[in-house]
Amino acid sequence: MKTDDRVALDEWYAVETATAVTAAPVVTRLLGQDIVCDRLPDGSPRVRERLADGFGPPLPVRERYGCLWTTLGHPNRDVVAITEADEADRRHVPCGWVKMRTSGPRVVENFLDMAHFPFVHTDILGAEPNTEVPAYASEIRRDVDEVWATNCSFFQPRIAATETEGDFVRLTYRVPSPFVVMLYRVCPSAPDRLDAIALFIQPMEEELCRAQPVMYLVDSCSTHTALLNFEQVIFLQDRIIVENQRPLRLPLEPRHEIPTRADKSSVVYRRWLKEKGLRFGTVGHG
């Protein structure tokens, strides 16, 4: 059943790969509501709610970052801005949708978590004995209403698809909306620039979602297959973890789960969601 959570309804969501939307209707689900995506004869995209007696009126729609975006409500701002997407020399690598039996906020929190790198992404994003997460800063940036984690660093055996040697990598995390999270890392082949990796989450039900990593990389030598494989291996490893976390919905009250120093960005993200009043995919709100 479609949620009545106004906070969730009033967000933009990536719901399909733009090239997969044709004149033939594609049915998917968003926030407990069936929606249908297709294209009109002039090629413009259309998204509608599928109702018991037909279809609802066309919903707002955008084509950005290789995806079709829509909303079931009335967002007070546009789809998240990713400036790296406008830089012509970057590789745009959409990595494909992965469905997961968990909540969208759990997926965001996992993306923010560096402590699991050595144990889940062994010999790729982390390795023992380098398991400590150095201190970093995390905050709600009130001027843009986003969560940021800065001055993050971690030892990674493979810092990118182009690299075979390990090093300490500087990372910055950004959560521009409750269901979009981004990672910026120094580009090995162009140290004065940052690679950008976004994760677009489509919350289908409270405990079911789809997500797609989309990369904007400064990389002129890797094959598309190598880039895709590098990210897909990581994401499928994450899928196993988030599907086994309990509860599946993200607890917003601090007493439910005891954080460590490494969980600072998660603590701030949860506080931000609680301030917003988001209920969809969470527990312990009050």
Side-chain angles (χ1 to χ4, degrees):
M1 190 171 71
K2 178 180 173 181
T3 186
D4 62 358
D5 181 356
R6 197 74 251 167
V7 178
L9 292 169
D10 289 343
E11 291 288 345
W12 287 99
Y13 299 95
V15 294
E16 192 53 80
T17 303
T19 54
V21 180
T22 65
V26 175
V27 180
T28 186
R29 201 158 174 82
L30 179 63
L31 300 173
Q33 171 66 50
D34 280 343
I35 59 174
V36 181
C37 310
D38 60 6
R39 289 189 187 273
L40 299 170
D42 66 358
S44 58
R46 177 176 62 176
V47 181
R48 296 172 291 171
E49 294 185 19
R50 187 168 72 172
L51 308 175
D53 57 352
F55 300 101
L59 297 168
V61 64
R62 302 276 192 276
E63 284 194 72
R64 301 268 170 85
Y65 318 125
C67 293
L68 204 65
W69 296 71
T70 194
T71 177
L72 299 180
H74 305 282
N76 60 11
R77 54 183 176 179
D78 207 349
V79 173
V80 55
I82 302 175
T83 56
E84 292 78 12
D86 299 325
E87 297 174 7
D89 65 334
R90 286 183 181 267
R91 303 276 294 276
H92 172 222
V93 187
C95 298
W97 293 94
V98 175
K99 188 180 286 188
M100 291 171 284
R101 293 206 164 276
T102 190
S103 64
R106 276 291 194 196
V107 178
V108 172
E109 185 181 64
N110 178 78
F111 192 95
L112 294 171
D113 176 37
M114 291 177 282
H116 78 284
F117 286 173
F119 309 106
V120 179
H121 309 300
T122 308
D123 298 330
I124 304 174
L125 299 186
E128 298 185 73
N130 298 292
T131 59
E132 183 178 353
V133 178
Y136 62 93
S138 188
E139 63 179 337
I140 301 170
R141 294 191 177 176
R142 303 290 179 182
D143 57 331
V144 289
D145 191 24
E146 297 182 354
V147 171
W148 283 73
T150 54
N151 296 324
C152 306
S153 62
F154 203 82
F155 182 85
Q156 296 188 338
R158 283 195 68 197
I159 59 178
T162 53
E163 306 302 304
T164 56
E165 297 298 316
D167 200 357
F168 274 89
V169 182
R170 298 197 70 81
L171 307 169
T172 297
Y173 290 90
R174 172 193 177 202
V175 189
S177 87
F179 298 91
V180 175
V181 58
M182 295 193 64
L183 166 66
Y184 301 92
R185 69 182 182 209
V186 173
C187 172
S189 58
D192 59 333
R193 301 178 72 186
L194 300 177
D195 284 333
I197 302 171
L199 186 64
F200 303 145
I201 299 166
Q202 174 189 343
M204 305 173 81
E205 302 282 359
E206 296 242 35
E207 298 178 356
L208 180 68
C209 64
R210 292 202 309 165
Q212 172 164 229
V214 178
M215 303 190 290
Y216 293 94
L217 308 178
V218 183
D219 180 344
S220 59
C221 53
S222 296
T223 65
H224 185 79
T225 301
L227 294 173
L228 202 58
N229 182 66
F230 183 78
E231 190 63 26
Q232 285 183 341
V233 165
I234 292 167
F235 197 55
L236 291 173
Q237 290 172 336
D238 281 327
R239 179 189 182 184
I240 297 168
I241 300 304
V242 297
E243 288 194 331
N244 282 284
Q245 285 181 301
R246 295 295 182 273
L248 293 175
R249 303 181 196 189
L250 186 70
L252 298 188
E253 293 293 344
R255 66 179 181 273
H256 282 292
E257 294 178 347
I258 307 302
T260 68
R261 187 186 70 175
D263 299 321
K264 191 171 184 181
S265 58
S266 171
V267 171
V268 174
Y269 172 61
R270 292 184 189 204
R271 185 191 313 143
W272 185 60
L273 295 185
K274 188 175 181 184
E275 284 183 10
K276 286 179 172 296
L278 182 80
R279 291 182 285 109
F280 196 87
T282 70
V283 290
H285 32 74

